[in-house]
């Protein structure tokens, strides 16, 4: 049987690093940095994002935050911003030596969440 995506992304340690790298890319990305720069709970969001991906990819149930609709409701996020976030995450996967097959699975999971995030 194929290992879970959680395992193939490097487990809790690997996913925590990938999620943290992605957030750093968001903070440096002119298209979306304003969404994150002034958060006073940035480190909690960093940990929350890691926990969300750990749980969503088949790891332990560690995410205690709100669902994606509740999290992003009222932010008026558009499709270009959504793509920018996806691109940053894919770049973080590449930087952490994650292969194409796993990247495709992550991209599919991200894309599947679009209706809970864009324009809600
Ligand atoms: C599929 C794509 C996305 C996923 C999986 C995702 C995931 C998450 C998660 C899990 C959190 C909450 C962490 C926690 O509660 O501890 C969060 C928060 C946040 N997300 Fe997203 N996100 C996505 C797309 C976006 C986009 C496109 C934007 C805007 C450019 C965005 C902006 C934010 C902001 C500003 C927060 C912090 C909210 C706060 O605590 O005030 N997200 N996201």
């Amino acid at each position: 049987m194929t290992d879970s995506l959680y395992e193939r992304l490097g487990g809790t340690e690997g996913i925590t690093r990938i999620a943290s790298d992605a957030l750093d890319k968001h903070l440096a990305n002119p298209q979306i940095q304003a969404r994150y720069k002034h958060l006073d709970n940035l480190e909690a969001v960093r940990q929350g994002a890691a926990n969300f991906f750990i749980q969503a990819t088949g790891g332990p149930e560690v995410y205690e935050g709100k669902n994606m609709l509740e999290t992003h409701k009222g932010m008026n996020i558009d499709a270009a911003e959504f793509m920018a976030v996806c691109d940053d995450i894919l770049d973080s996967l590449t930087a952490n030596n994650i292969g194409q097959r796993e990247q495709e699975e992550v991209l599919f999971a991200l894309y599947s969440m679009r209706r809970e995030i864009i324009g809600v």
Side-chain angles (χ1 to χ4, degrees):
M1 209 187 101
T2 316
D3 283 346
S4 67
L5 185 55
Y6 166 80
E7 299 286 351
R8 289 178 283 133
L9 294 176
T12 294
E13 199 184 315
I15 293 173
T16 300
R17 192 168 51 240
I18 291 162
S20 182
D21 287 357
L23 184 59
D24 287 340
K25 288 186 191 300
H26 298 341
L27 288 164
N29 185 338
Q31 206 178 346
I32 51 172
Q33 62 188 182
R35 296 282 190 178
Y36 301 92
K37 266 203 163 152
H38 305 295
L39 292 178
D40 53 18
N41 60 341
L42 194 61
E43 292 318 303
V45 172
R46 190 185 294 276
Q47 188 61 55
N51 288 347
F52 177 79
F53 279 97
I54 287 166
Q55 183 165 321
T57 52
E61 298 197 0
V62 289
Y63 180 64
E64 294 178 342
K66 293 186 268 189
N67 68 32
M68 292 303 96
L69 179 59
E70 292 303 322
T71 299
H72 300 92
K73 200 148 71 181
M75 286 191 201
N76 230 341
I77 292 169
D78 67 25
E81 290 180 295
F82 183 81
M83 279 186 66
V85 161
C86 292
D87 282 337
D88 285 347
I89 294 171
L90 292 176
D91 287 347
S92 302
L93 292 168
T94 299
N96 284 280
N97 303 310
I98 301 297
Q100 181 176 332
R101 169 71 205 252
E102 283 70 31
Q103 296 205 25
E104 289 169 0
E105 290 180 41
V106 171
L107 182 58
F108 179 75
L110 294 172
Y111 189 70
S112 303
M113 289 182 257
R114 69 197 181 283
R115 292 194 186 89
E116 290 146 56
I117 294 171
I118 299 172
V120 293

